[in-house]
Amino acid sequence: MSTTLHAPEIAPPTTTSGGAARTYLVKTLGCQMNVHDSEHMAGMLEQAGYVAATPEQAAAEDADVIVINTCAVRENAADKLYGNLGRLARTKRSRPDMQIAVGGCLAQKDRAGIVERAPWVDVVFGTHNLDVLPALLERARHNAAAQVEIEESLKVFPSTLPTRRESVYAGWVSISVGCNNTCTFCIVPHLRGKERDRRPGEILAEVEALVATGAIEVTLLGQNVNSYGVGFGDRGAFAKLLRAVGAVEGLERVRFTSPHPAAFTDDVIAAMADTPTVMPSLHMPLQSGSDRVLRAMRRSYRSEKFLGILDRVRAAIPHAAITTDIIVGFPGETEEDFEDTMRVVEAARFSSAFTFQYSPRPGTPAADLPEQLPKQVVQERYERLIALQERICAQENAAQEGRVVEVLVAEGEGRKDGETQRISGRAADNRLVHLALPLDLAPGDEPRPGDLVTVEVTHGAPHHLVADSALVGGRFAVRRTRAGDAWEARRSGHDEHAGGHGGDACGTGAAPGPVSLGMPTLAVR
């Protein structure tokens, strides 16, 4: 149930007392779904008359409205939220007109408890009602009281909302929301609800609209993408969708995240192998290599099936890079169980892994299980797993040396690019590549974010590749793209496309541009 009456969809434009448009900043904590939700929040705020904070304002958290989009998957998610809120409390004492809004999974879970613990928060809204954000801000300002509105089920599909795309050359596209799985450690189904699938035509129209505004890469998003289609009675729908999206004219790279091993079928592998634009990368969550622990987690596959999927993927796509998620220290995990995980990790040869120490989440079945493990036991196992995966990453990336790769140049991927005189981006298999530019490259010929550069890998480090072939007369070829043109147009403030790529969803002060108004009405031909 909602704790307040429904708000209108869009609040009137807002200005400061001096008449200037109010500034906003969206801070995202959590997964790719949250990043995409933040793009919707930014789009709605801009349509309501707010403007993105400049990079300097964002760094100083100096904005009229600050929205924190939260995660609830791990215990430290609450620590991150309240650490942010504690810091902002000091700012708000000196700027009482500033507004703070909290959304996302932790807001859906804790509800009015957030305001009780942090009474300087103005707005709390959940995962099912992103559309009310501007109106709740206006109502909180008018009533001089905090507004908390949480819905129990999805009211407006997020993809129909205005969107301020964070990137001009690559975009997220939701194919479903929610999850029908019942993993005992996971709180997401409780907070995101049951799975709801979009129709294929709506997804294709959004992809075509993104491509029309310059994007050459899209990532299809869902809590469990390969169960897509169950809602409308087509269990083969995801493989068909991959082929259809991959055939969109002008689109060069298609990715997806995340699948579930239990529902991952050979028709999806065939679609990946047969569709040149579907990239040779796969994120396949393992969670544990112990069949006993997988059963306790309610993960409806076993380690042999998991490794069989990887074998079939690599047989069809030899250069596929496969990544994973692993939880260490699930309640009742024995040393033998952990050794099973180490055995599967050794056999799987993941290119990288997101590893986590088990974190009990109130409201999940696993939180009430006996045999919660001591911290020191979990830490010791975690360190052993990290050491194993670091060794595998180093070996797998060293094996890439000498390979020729095509890199999609990205913005903000390389934290040390300035000091190393390199630029960064992602290879087709999603490995991070730092590449050098020729010393004699003419000014203005540098690759732009969104351009594609062909280089040879000269060094494989555990977490990235280095391609300095341009410095020794080796491979270096730049293919300037529509995406690079769109990035340059946005930076110069000349973006005329109505596709929502004109600024940054997190208020980092990119050149202003249009906001897409939900689903397009005209498809690209």
Side-chain angles (χ1 to χ4, degrees):
M1 291 292 293
S2 170
T3 57
T4 66
L5 295 175
H6 280 293
E9 291 185 0
I10 293 293
T14 53
T15 59
T16 64
S17 57
R22 290 170 64 82
T23 57
Y24 78 89
L25 171 66
V26 180
K27 297 172 66 70
T28 307
L29 310 176
C31 67
Q32 296 98 327
M33 298 290 281
N34 274 20
V35 172
H36 193 32
D37 283 348
S38 291
E39 293 182 330
H40 296 311
M41 295 174 194
M44 289 185 295
L45 290 173
E46 295 206 8
Q47 191 181 55
Y50 296 84
V51 297
T54 65
E56 295 76 19
Q57 289 171 328
E61 295 182 325
D62 178 16
D64 298 305
V65 170
I66 295 182
V67 183
I68 304 177
N69 188 10
T70 63
C71 171
V73 170
R74 301 192 51 74
E75 189 174 13
N76 65 359
D79 297 337
K80 289 182 179 179
L81 170 63
Y82 290 106
N84 273 276
L85 292 178
R87 188 174 60 252
L88 290 173
R90 296 189 293 272
T91 305
K92 188 154 185 174
R93 281 194 290 269
S94 62
R95 288 189 58 186
D97 289 340
M98 183 182 79
Q99 289 188 293
I100 301 170
V102 178
C105 288
L106 197 61
Q108 185 76 24
K109 174 180 172 289
D110 288 356
R111 308 183 177 218
I114 292 174
V115 176
E116 293 168 5
R117 185 168 170 181
W120 54 94
V121 170
D122 299 279
V123 167
V124 177
F125 62 107
T127 58
H128 297 312
N129 60 337
L130 305 184
D131 57 306
V132 301
L133 172 60
L136 289 180
L137 289 166
E138 188 66 22
R139 188 192 299 162
R141 188 159 44 246
H142 180 271
N143 295 349
Q147 301 296 306
V148 179
E149 184 165 312
I150 304 293
E151 294 287 352
E152 300 301 334
S153 61
L154 193 66
K155 299 303 178 185
V156 177
F157 207 98
S159 296
T160 65
L161 299 173
T163 307
R164 166 65 68 220
R165 297 280 179 178
E166 201 170 274
S167 167
V168 66
Y169 45 85
W172 310 102
V173 176
S174 290
I175 68 171
S176 63
V177 294
C179 181
N180 293 338
N181 293 314
T182 57
C183 302
T184 56
F185 57 84
C186 185
I187 199 169
V188 168
H190 175 66
L191 303 177
R192 292 273 182 180
K194 292 290 187 181
E195 181 176 328
R196 288 181 58 177
D197 297 333
R198 296 174 70 191
R199 300 299 300 188
E202 294 178 352
I203 296 167
L204 288 170
E206 184 174 355
V207 171
E208 290 173 338
L210 276 170
V211 172
T213 58
I216 60 173
E217 177 179 295
V218 298
T219 300
L220 305 178
L221 286 179
Q223 299 297 150
N224 179 9
V225 291
N226 50 295
S227 69
Y228 172 76
V230 172
F232 51 84
D234 184 355
R235 293 184 177 275
F238 184 60
K240 297 172 187 174
L241 182 67
L242 275 182
R243 294 177 186 274
V245 171
V248 171
E249 186 176 355
L251 185 61
E252 302 203 26
R253 293 187 170 194
V254 179
R255 304 188 188 277
F256 59 89
T257 194
S258 288
H260 190 291
F264 199 77
T265 50
D266 288 348
D267 61 338
V268 174
I269 298 174
M272 293 175 66
D274 295 344
T275 311
T277 50
V278 176
M279 293 293 96
S281 64
L282 176 66
H283 186 74
M284 183 62 69
L286 171 63
Q287 306 303 0
S288 175
S290 161
D291 290 350
R292 195 186 69 82
V293 172
L294 288 171
R295 192 174 298 112
M297 289 177 165
R298 286 193 206 143
R299 300 284 289 181
S300 49
Y301 57 89
R302 300 296 175 256
S303 59
E304 184 178 353
K305 175 175 181 175
F306 184 92
L307 290 173
I309 292 171
L310 305 197
D311 288 343
R312 294 196 300 278
V313 169
R314 287 174 171 142
I317 313 166
H319 294 300
I322 301 175
T323 60
T324 198
D325 300 326
I326 305 171
I327 296 172
V328 178
F330 188 80
E333 179 191 76
T334 65
E335 178 63 22
E336 183 180 359
D337 292 326
F338 178 69
E339 287 296 337
D340 283 344
T341 295
M342 296 284 277
R343 173 185 57 80
V344 174
V345 169
E346 183 76 71
R349 310 297 296 178
F350 298 115
S351 61
S352 68
F354 298 91
T355 53
F356 307 94
Q357 297 184 34
Y358 170 73
S359 175
R361 307 307 296 130
T364 63
D368 298 324
L369 289 175
E371 299 182 83
Q372 303 281 332
L373 300 188
K375 168 67 176 174
Q376 62 269 26
V377 172
V378 179
Q379 182 66 35
E380 189 272 339
R381 291 177 183 170
Y382 179 75
E383 291 173 1
R384 283 158 58 195
L385 176 62
I386 290 291
L388 171 61
Q389 185 56 47
E390 286 283 304
R391 172 173 63 79
I392 293 171
C393 285
Q395 292 169 346
E396 293 298 305
N397 279 358
Q400 302 297 309
E401 293 174 7
R403 280 193 65 196
V404 173
V405 296
E406 186 174 58
V407 179
L408 176 59
V409 179
E411 204 169 19
E413 285 275 24
R415 290 176 296 173
K416 297 182 179 180
D417 282 353
E419 57 191 83
T420 63
Q421 300 297 304
R422 295 187 179 100
I423 60 175
S424 300
R426 296 280 170 174
D429 64 7
N430 212 33
R431 282 184 168 94
L432 177 62
V433 183
H434 303 302
L435 60 98
L437 302 177
L439 297 177
D440 58 353
L441 190 67
D445 288 345
E446 300 92 345
R448 307 158 299 179
D451 286 338
L452 290 157
V453 183
T454 301
V455 288
E456 182 180 328
V457 176
T458 54
H459 175 65
H463 303 294
H464 64 267
L465 304 178
V466 175
D468 284 347
S469 51
L471 300 179
V472 292
R475 289 293 294 270
F476 181 85
V478 178
R479 179 155 63 89
R480 297 175 79 82
T481 68
R482 296 179 303 101
D485 294 342
W487 178 87
E488 193 164 22
R490 186 186 72 172
R491 185 180 64 166
S492 64
H494 296 145
D495 187 351
E496 296 178 356
H497 293 294
H501 292 286
D504 192 299
C506 295
T508 54
V515 175
S516 65
L517 305 181
M519 287 303 304
T521 56
L522 294 176
V524 179
R525 300 299 179 195

